[in-house]
Amino acid sequence: NLPEKIFAVCKTVPGVRSQLPVAGSVEEARASLRVVARPAASAGRSGAARNENVYLVPLVAGLDLTYGADLAGRLARAGRAEVRLVYFLEVTRNLPLNAPLAADELAAQQTIEQAMQLAKQQNVPAECYVERVREATDGILAAIKSHNASLVVIGATNEPLGAEGHDNFHNLVDTLLHRAPCEVVIGRLKPPL
């Protein structure tokens, strides 16, 4: 809620915009902080009771988020594992990592709520997180280590080969298959006839 004159001066100082998160209003800043402050655990379990068997589901554009969460839930139930749903909010390099991004944060909340519903339907313990990253691939690799994941579950989209984001999907899968320090499962729903 800066006065326009002060905001104009801030824009002229080199490096300030990339280091100082700026929201358009107090409400927008508060909404951004609510999303960032999330690890919203649905299971409410203490750290001592945490499961050693963790299945990580990356929630990023270009993946079938619903199928990934559903598949992870089915696998987790069979393997008595815990599901971690991690939404990777990509922030461009010209902004600070904690910059408010209202539209992207709203999309993150909606995606997490949808994925949590799928995990609940499978009756498995699940937690959700929002990670702010520069690139989703590097964020996923870091999350695998920080969550001590034993399995990464990705839902592949049924979009045709030339669809937008297809290259991003292939790069992500290629990186995970070559660099992930755990098992990687890629599932795809049968395409409609």
Side-chain angles (χ1 to χ4, degrees):
N1 227 6
L2 289 174
E4 191 59 39
K5 289 181 181 180
I6 294 175
F7 188 58
V9 170
C10 287
K11 285 181 177 179
T12 63
V13 179
V16 169
R17 184 65 181 115
S18 65
Q19 299 298 316
L20 180 66
V22 178
S25 67
V26 172
E27 293 80 24
E28 186 180 308
R30 286 184 179 147
S32 179
L33 289 172
R34 278 192 296 273
V35 171
V36 172
R38 214 168 170 116
S42 67
R45 299 175 340 161
S46 69
R50 291 179 92 73
N51 195 334
E52 293 289 325
N53 207 7
V54 175
Y55 293 176
L56 183 87
V57 181
L59 303 175
V60 294
L63 302 179
D64 186 339
L65 308 178
T66 56
Y67 184 63
D70 180 59
L71 179 60
R74 288 186 281 145
L75 293 170
R77 192 175 61 222
R80 297 185 181 174
E82 181 178 304
V83 174
R84 304 268 172 88
L85 305 163
V86 184
Y87 188 97
F88 294 92
L89 185 66
E90 290 184 286
V91 182
T92 60
R93 295 195 185 279
N94 65 335
L95 295 173
L97 271 176
N98 57 351
L101 303 168
D104 294 338
E105 291 162 355
L106 180 62
Q109 281 184 313
Q110 291 170 342
T111 300
I112 284 173
E113 288 169 9
Q114 187 179 18
M116 286 297 287
Q117 287 300 321
L118 290 166
K120 284 180 185 177
Q121 289 173 1
Q122 297 295 335
N123 198 25
V124 294
E127 295 180 356
C128 60
Y129 300 85
V130 175
E131 298 282 338
R132 289 174 168 267
V133 295
R134 296 295 183 196
E135 291 184 21
T137 305
D138 293 336
I140 293 169
L141 291 171
I144 291 169
K145 292 177 185 171
S146 69
H147 290 276
N148 198 22
S150 57
L151 181 74
V152 175
V153 181
I154 293 176
T157 182
N158 280 328
E159 296 294 322
L161 284 176
E164 183 179 329
H166 199 71
D167 288 340
N168 292 341
F169 173 76
H170 280 291
N171 291 337
L172 172 66
V173 168
D174 187 54
T175 300
L176 289 177
L177 290 176
H178 289 93
R179 294 180 49 203
C182 63
E183 291 183 78
V184 177
V185 171
I186 302 164
R188 181 183 62 86
L189 277 173
K190 180 180 177 183
L193 297 175

